């Protein structure tokens, strides 16, 4: 028992530690997790998942995969289909059979597997796991459409790939008794459709019960998780891997039923997904046996190259032939196809069953599936950003600033940030208030930032910092509270005074964004100062020009607002903390016009007199 608890703790530390290092360094988190698990498992023998969990390991991994697919389905909204629909249906309808065919040929002629094993494993290879794709997209900055296509394909094709493997296995098993392909495929398709219906019915039941108060708030997350696990296990009793279809349909359906009470669950389910992905990948790499690596042959390496450079590119390019998808996006999609935990989990399951049917190559699937996962994760994880940049589908890499509320003060701030090459966007629901910003050539969006339609019409991914600066402090608080889970509580700011925690008439600090300026200022006070002529100033620090020297040149009343690092990172001066400036930073301050000294006034007057003197030789 103590050994199992130690393994669980070590898996958590390694998984979350790898995620943290990836966040700090920008390296692919999946690669770091695989490396950590391999070192702790076959490397140092600190973790042996099979010894620690025994027969429970397979069902634990299966349930974890089901929860990840459900969480991924919750992130898929039909509104996105307007941008990714054409590519998605082509990759599902044409891409799956083409990938299955090309993969079978490569496994037979290059890897040297017998036809039954090659066909079954190729069916599994059509998956591109969300356990890998979503973390990679979270770290990378890719344009909205190609990122959406990869996300949808990964989640939709996972259960499809599992069904392809089940179809192949059942055919080879039953064909010995004279069964036909149609006789095998028909019942399995019926089971898949039935699983989809069960998943949709479960989503409808949740969407009906939650808003009507049939489930108390504190039980909503437990009820949802238990329902997902129950649907997954129940549908697996109908047919192998049918549960994956059910939970995927359940997640997608629930995401599009407009259940307001689910919004509070989103942060929790994202945390669960991060924990599951971290844990599963540590267990995945730690369970790899060195004997499987020793049996790796040169032809398997040749197959991996064919998979990367022939099978996937041919599948995508033929599937998208004649579509309106730009060629740079087609090439990007043709390259990026990392595989994840689903591939290994399903391969391990069928490897044992193929051995029982007498196919000796079945035992090779475990080592080969690990090789595919490692090769695709390393190849695509380290090249995603360079390839996206080369094909010019890279999103905005410099952190952007989203400003809510168009006032003279925010327009002036947006001009300063625009001049510093910081992506900036002004959002306001009043068209006339945006007129000065439009006249200044600043990017604007006319609409309510809290409306769901904004997600369709506006790509918010480039903006990593939000400033709510309307005249209404309560509205500023509402905006910060809404976007804090997505952007981060330390990167949402608002105008307004700080409040006393014991003042029961004020909005609590837990809902508010961080107050701008070290001495928080009300919006109406900023308007007064601006009418008095206060302006923004930019000061670049250097080895010979420190912050203290820059402050001496500013009026005493000037307020420091933020500093911008050379890479574009923004750090605001707030009542709670002040960033530490360094060489190369640019300080943005707000203050009154600097009064000229007597010496400067005398020099200016002398200059005017000199300019009015008559020039000799002129009448």
């Amino acid at each position: 028992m103590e050994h199992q608890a130690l393994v669980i703790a070590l898996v958590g530390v390694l998984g979350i530690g790898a995620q943290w290092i990836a966040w700090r360094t920008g390296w692919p988190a999946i690669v770091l997790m695989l490396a950590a698990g391999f070192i702790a498992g076959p490397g140092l023998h600190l973790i042996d998942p099979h010894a620690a969990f025994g027969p429970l390991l397979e069902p634990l991994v299966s349930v974890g995969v089901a929860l990840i697919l459900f969480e991924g389905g919750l992130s898929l909204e039909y509104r996105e289909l307007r941008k990714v629909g054409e590519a998605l249906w082509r990759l599902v309808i044409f891409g799956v059979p083409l990938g299955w065919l090309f993969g079978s040929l490569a496994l037979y002629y290059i890897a040297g597997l017998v036809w039954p094993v090659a066909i079954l494993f190729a069916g599994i290879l059509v998956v591109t796991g969300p356990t890998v794709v979503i973390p990679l997209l979270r770290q990378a900055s890719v344009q909205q459409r190609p990122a959406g296509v990869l996300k949808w394909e990964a989640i939709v094709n996972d259960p499809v790939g599992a069904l392809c493997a089940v179809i192949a296995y059942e055919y080879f098993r039953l064909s010995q008794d004279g069964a036909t392909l149609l006789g095998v495929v028909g019942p399995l398709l019926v089971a898949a459709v039935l699983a989809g219906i069960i998943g949709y019915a479960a989503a409808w039941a949740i969407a009906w019960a939650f808003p009507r108060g049939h489930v108390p708030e504190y039980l909503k997350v437990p009820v949802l998780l238990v329902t997902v696990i129950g649907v997954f296990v129940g549908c697996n009793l109908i047919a192998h891997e049918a549960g994956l279809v059910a939970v995927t349909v359940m997640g997608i359906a629930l995401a599009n039923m407009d259940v307001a009470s689910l919004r509070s669950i989103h942060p929790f389910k994202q945390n669960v997904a991060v924990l599951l992905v971290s844990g599963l990948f540590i267990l995945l790499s730690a369970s790899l046996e060195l004997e499987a690596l020793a049996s790796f042959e040169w032809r398997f390496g040749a197959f991996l190259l064919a998979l990367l450079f022939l099978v996937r590119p041919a599948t995508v390019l033929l599937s998208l032939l004649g579509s309106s998808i730009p060629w740079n996006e087609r090439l990007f999609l043709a390259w990026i196809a990392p595989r994840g935990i689903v591939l290994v989990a399903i391969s391990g399951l069928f490897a044992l069953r193929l051995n029982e049917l007498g196919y000796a190559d079945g035992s090779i699937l475990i080592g080969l599936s690990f090789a595919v996962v490692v090769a695709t994760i390393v190849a695509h994880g380290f090249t995603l950003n360079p390839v996206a940049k080369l094909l010019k589908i890279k999103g905005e890499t410099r952190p952007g600033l989203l400003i809510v509320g168009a006032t003279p003060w925010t327009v002036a701030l947006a001009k300063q940030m625009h001049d510093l090459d910081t992506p900036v966007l002004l959002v306001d629901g009043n068209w006339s208030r945006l007129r000065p910003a439009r006249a200044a050539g600043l990017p604007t969006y006319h609409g309510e930032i809290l409306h769901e339609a904004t997600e369709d019409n506006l790509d918010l991914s480039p903006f990593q910092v939000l400033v709510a600066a309307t005249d209404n402090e309560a509205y500023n608080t509402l905006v910060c509270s809404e976007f804090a889970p997505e952007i981060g509580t330390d990167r949402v700011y608002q105008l307004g005074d700080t409040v006393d925690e014991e003042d029961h008439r004020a909005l609590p600090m837990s809902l508010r964004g961080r107050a701008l300026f070290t001495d928080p200022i009300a919006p109406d006070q900023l308007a007064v100062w601006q009418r008095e002529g206060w302006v923004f100033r930019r000061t670049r620090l250097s080895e010979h020009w420190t912050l203290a020297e820059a402050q001496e040149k500013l009026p005493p009343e000037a307020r420091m607002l933020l500093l911008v690092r050379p890479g574009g990172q923004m750090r605001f001066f707030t009542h709670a903390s002040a960033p530490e400036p360094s060489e190369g930073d640019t300080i943005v301050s707000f203050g009154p016009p600097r009064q000229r000294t007597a010496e400067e006034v005398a020099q200016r007057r002398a200059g005017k007199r000199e300019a009015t003197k008559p020039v000799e030789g002129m009448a």
Side-chain angles (χ1 to χ4, degrees):
M1 181 68 70
E2 292 181 359
H3 175 65
Q4 290 175 328
L6 181 62
V7 169
I8 293 173
L10 191 55
V11 167
V13 170
L14 291 175
I16 300 304
Q19 294 263 20
W20 183 83
I21 293 174
W23 169 71
R24 294 292 297 179
T25 63
W27 295 347
I30 302 300
V31 175
L32 294 176
M33 286 188 283
L34 281 177
F38 183 81
I39 293 172
L44 301 177
H45 302 288
L46 297 176
I47 298 176
D48 186 351
H50 293 287
F53 301 105
L56 286 177
L57 180 61
E58 183 179 324
L60 285 174
V61 171
S62 298
V63 170
V65 170
L67 290 173
I68 291 170
L69 278 180
F70 171 74
E71 191 275 337
L74 280 177
S75 67
L76 301 181
E77 298 187 3
Y78 296 146
R79 297 191 296 260
E80 290 182 330
L81 287 177
R82 291 183 299 188
K83 298 178 181 177
V84 307
E86 181 184 11
L88 178 67
W89 72 261
R90 283 174 172 269
L91 290 175
V92 173
I93 296 177
F94 301 137
V96 169
L98 285 174
W100 198 355
L101 172 63
F102 296 150
S104 300
L105 294 174
L107 285 164
Y108 179 75
Y109 288 106
I110 300 177
L113 303 184
V114 297
W115 272 118
V117 178
I119 292 173
L120 187 146
F121 191 48
I124 307 174
L125 285 178
V126 303
V127 305
T128 56
T131 56
V132 188
V133 170
I134 293 176
L136 284 180
L137 292 176
R138 186 182 297 122
Q139 282 188 277
S141 177
V142 180
Q143 290 178 5
Q144 199 171 15
R145 181 167 59 184
V149 172
L150 287 175
K151 182 177 70 171
W152 272 86
E153 181 196 16
I155 295 172
V156 171
N157 272 1
D158 251 23
V160 173
L163 284 177
C164 290
V166 172
I167 290 173
Y169 170 77
E170 291 296 328
Y171 173 72
F172 294 126
R173 183 176 69 87
L174 299 176
S175 61
Q176 300 175 355
D177 300 327
T180 62
L181 180 61
L182 183 62
V184 172
V185 172
L188 289 177
L189 290 181
V190 171
V193 172
L194 181 59
I197 293 174
I198 293 174
Y200 185 87
W204 181 88
I206 292 291
W208 180 85
F210 278 20
R212 288 169 174 80
H214 294 296
V215 178
E217 197 67 31
Y218 73 95
L219 281 180
K220 285 182 178 178
V221 172
V223 166
L224 185 61
L225 291 178
V226 170
T227 303
V228 173
I229 295 173
V231 167
F232 171 71
V233 174
C235 290
N236 271 352
L237 297 177
I238 301 174
H240 294 302
E241 310 306 330
L244 296 180
V245 177
V247 296
T248 303
V249 171
M250 181 179 174
I252 296 174
L254 200 55
N256 293 277
M257 287 182 177
D258 194 24
V259 183
S261 57
L262 286 179
R263 296 179 67 87
S264 60
I265 297 176
H266 281 196
F268 174 81
K269 59 98 175 174
Q270 290 173 351
N271 294 335
V272 169
V274 169
L275 289 171
L276 287 173
V277 169
S278 303
L280 289 179
F281 268 97
I282 296 296
L283 292 174
L284 160 73
S285 51
S287 61
L288 181 62
E289 298 179 358
L290 294 178
E291 291 78 7
L293 293 178
S295 64
F296 197 82
E297 302 179 16
W298 69 266
R299 62 184 188 215
F300 296 156
F303 164 72
L304 294 177
L305 293 176
L307 181 67
L308 290 170
F309 295 101
L310 293 177
V311 175
R312 172 66 177 185
T315 299
V316 172
L317 295 179
L318 288 175
S319 300
L320 299 181
L321 198 63
S323 69
S324 62
I325 307 299
W327 273 100
N328 60 338
E329 294 185 13
R330 297 188 202 187
L331 293 173
F332 178 74
L333 296 173
W335 171 243
I336 302 299
R339 272 68 169 190
I341 189 69
V342 175
L343 173 67
V344 176
I346 299 176
S347 298
L349 174 66
F350 284 106
L352 300 176
R353 296 177 180 177
L354 286 172
N355 286 336
E356 294 173 358
L357 293 180
Y359 297 111
D361 285 348
S363 58
I364 298 176
L365 292 189
I366 297 178
L368 192 55
S369 63
F370 271 105
V372 170
V373 169
V374 173
T376 56
I377 286 177
V378 171
H380 299 145
F382 281 109
T383 62
L384 189 147
N385 274 317
V387 170
K389 187 176 181 179
L390 178 66
L391 296 174
K392 298 181 179 180
I393 60 168
K394 188 83 172 144
E396 184 61 60
T397 56
R398 195 173 176 89
L401 175 63
L402 180 65
I403 303 176
V404 180
T407 66
W409 186 82
T410 58
V411 171
L413 172 61
K415 288 179 182 178
Q416 294 292 320
M417 302 308 295
H418 188 265
D419 291 342
L420 288 171
D421 296 326
T422 296
V424 64
L425 181 69
L426 265 170
V427 180
D428 201 296
N430 189 308
W431 179 258
S432 61
R433 290 179 183 171
L434 290 170
R435 187 179 295 115
R438 293 194 302 271
L442 298 172
T444 62
Y445 175 76
H446 176 228
E448 173 53 60
I449 190 67
L450 298 176
H451 199 284
E452 291 184 358
T454 302
E455 298 180 12
D456 300 335
N457 304 323
L458 188 62
D459 180 15
L460 298 177
S461 58
F463 305 104
Q464 300 179 15
V465 177
L466 178 143
V467 169
T470 70
D471 297 332
N472 188 326
E473 286 193 48
Y475 179 78
N476 293 341
T477 299
L478 179 61
V479 170
C480 291
S481 176
E482 178 70 20
F483 282 90
E486 180 178 350
I487 296 179
T489 55
D490 59 333
R491 289 183 289 180
V492 291
Y493 302 88
Q494 72 174 86
L495 280 178
D497 294 326
T498 56
V499 296
D500 186 351
E501 288 286 355
E502 298 180 358
D503 186 358
H504 64 277
R505 295 166 298 179
L507 291 169
M509 289 294 296
S510 58
L511 296 178
R512 299 169 61 93
R514 297 193 174 191
L516 294 174
F517 298 106
T518 53
D519 184 16
I521 303 164
D524 53 353
Q525 181 61 59
L526 284 179
V528 171
W529 283 342
Q530 200 159 28
R531 286 195 296 268
E532 294 175 354
W534 282 44
V535 293
F536 283 100
R537 294 181 178 84
R538 299 195 307 270
T539 306
R540 184 177 178 82
L541 304 182
S542 66
E543 181 181 356
H544 307 291
W545 190 251
T546 65
L547 177 62
E549 292 172 327
Q551 285 179 315
E552 290 179 2
K553 295 294 183 180
L554 293 174
E557 302 88 348
R559 310 295 180 98
M560 298 292 181
L561 177 59
L562 79 155
L563 61 81
V564 182
R565 306 287 190 194
Q569 296 82 8
M570 290 167 278
R571 300 291 183 268
F572 283 79
F573 293 85
T574 70
H575 71 287
S577 63
E580 187 67 30
S582 57
E583 182 181 341
D585 293 347
T586 299
I587 303 291
V588 178
S589 60
F590 184 64
R594 186 169 62 88
Q595 299 293 327
R596 297 188 180 91
T597 64
E599 182 180 356
E600 290 175 332
V601 172
Q603 290 176 352
R604 182 177 178 83
R605 289 176 178 174
K608 286 184 177 180
R609 287 195 298 268
E610 188 69 26
T612 57
K613 286 183 179 180
V615 180
E616 294 183 6
M618 293 185 61

